[in-house]
């Protein structure tokens, strides 16, 4: 069971709603994922190629938890405005806070993100902050009142998978009592399994599913990988070694290899 924003969730897969070929494909992919939380951009919701009301009604029919995001915001002011509008449109205090600081890799602005988080939390929002794996950045967000951390594995849409596994393992160990969701950079189900094996609490992704040749099957594959990674983490994986160790004991066996003369 995963507890986020005051709600208990069975699924550890949070999925996006952008760039699907059709609303029906999106619906089927979300169902295949088993996700109970979907992210929605207010900007895309209001200006996309699909009918906005039909899109929102579809999500409501599926009885999903909607996590609006502030994608495309490059300033604190814009992020605050979009967050407040999203609360009215989607009737939720949840917000995935994104304050972008760099055009090249869409890296978040740590100063702007922390500033916006402080304001939104005072206004009663549950802030889900998009961030890097920087430990100081994380500490400042927790000090601001965030109850969940969402570090990236790699830049948004890159599909590279964990760019710095050591940093992610350090991040997870440092904030072991805080729900931590990997947000951005995963391109393959194996990437999702890898971060779940590190002990992360869940995965949020969009592009790897929506742009797949078969988004529905890809959503199903990611769901299975996330579940497998979580089970492996809970079961306790064997430690890595620098040398070979036989799985079958050799002491006491009747035959021994002898050196040829």
């Amino acid at each position: 069971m995963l507890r986020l924003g005051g709600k208990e969730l069975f699924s550890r897969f949070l999925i996006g709603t952008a760039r699907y070929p059709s609303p029906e494909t999106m619906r089927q992919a979300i169902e295949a994922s088993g996700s109970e939380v979907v992210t929605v951009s207010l900007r895309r919701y209001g200006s996309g190629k699909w009918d906005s009301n039909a899109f929102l009604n579809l999500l409501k029919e599926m009885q999903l938890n909607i996590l609006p995001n502030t994608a495309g915001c490059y300033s604190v002011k814009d992020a605050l405005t979009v967050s407040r509008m999203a609360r009215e449109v989607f009737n939720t205090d949840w917000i995935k806070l994104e304050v972008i600081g760099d055009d090249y890799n869409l890296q978040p602005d740590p100063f702007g993100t922390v500033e916006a988080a402080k304001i939104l939390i005072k206004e009663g929002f549950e802030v889900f902050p998009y961030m890097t794996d920087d430990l100081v950045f994380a500490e400042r967000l927790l000090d601001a009142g965030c109850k969940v951390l969402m570090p990236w594995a790699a830049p948004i849409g890159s599909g590279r998978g964990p760019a710095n596994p050591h940093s992610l393992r350090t991040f997870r160990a440092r904030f072991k009592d805080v729900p931590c969701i990997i947000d951005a950079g995963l391109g393959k189900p194996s990437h999702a399994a890898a971060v779940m094996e590190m002990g992360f609490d869940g995965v949020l992704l969009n592009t790897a599913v929506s742009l797949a040749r078969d988004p529905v099957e890809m959503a199903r594959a990611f769901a299975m990988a996330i579940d497998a990674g979580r089970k492996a983490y809970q079961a306790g994986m064997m430690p890595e070694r620098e040398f070979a160790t036989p799985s079958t004991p050799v002491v006491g066996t009747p035959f021994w290899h002898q050196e040829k003369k």
Side-chain angles (χ1 to χ4, degrees), residues 76 80 84 97 99 110-125 127 129 139-146:
V76 172
L80 294 177
R84 292 160 181 159
L97 178 61
V99 182
F111 306 102
T113 302
V114 171
E115 181 182 347
K118 288 180 180 178
I119 296 170
L120 291 172
I121 289 168
K122 287 180 180 178
E123 295 181 6
F125 282 89
V127 175
E139 288 282 8
R140 297 295 180 270
L141 287 168
L142 293 176
D143 291 343
C146 291

Side-chain angles (χ1 to χ4, degrees), residues 133-222:
D133 55 12
D134 184 275
L135 301 182
V136 178
F137 190 0
E139 288 282 8
R140 297 295 180 270
L141 287 168
L142 293 176
D143 291 343
C146 291
K147 298 176 183 177
V148 59
L149 298 172
M150 301 182 70
W152 70 2
I156 294 174
S158 67
R160 290 165 44 193
N164 194 332
H166 174 72
S167 289
L168 289 177
R169 291 191 186 96
T170 302
F171 190 100
R172 176 68 278 188
R174 177 65 182 81
F175 303 108
K176 62 181 183 299
D177 297 324
V178 179
C180 294
I181 308 295
I182 290 293
D183 176 18
L186 304 182
K188 303 174 183 177
S190 58
H191 295 159
V195 296
M196 293 301 292
E197 287 172 359
M198 295 177 191
F200 282 91
D201 297 290
V203 163
L204 190 159
L205 58 87
N206 187 163
T207 310
V209 170
S210 63
L211 296 188
R213 183 174 64 252
D214 187 336
V216 178
E217 281 304 301
M218 187 59 76
R220 188 172 289 114
F222 266 102

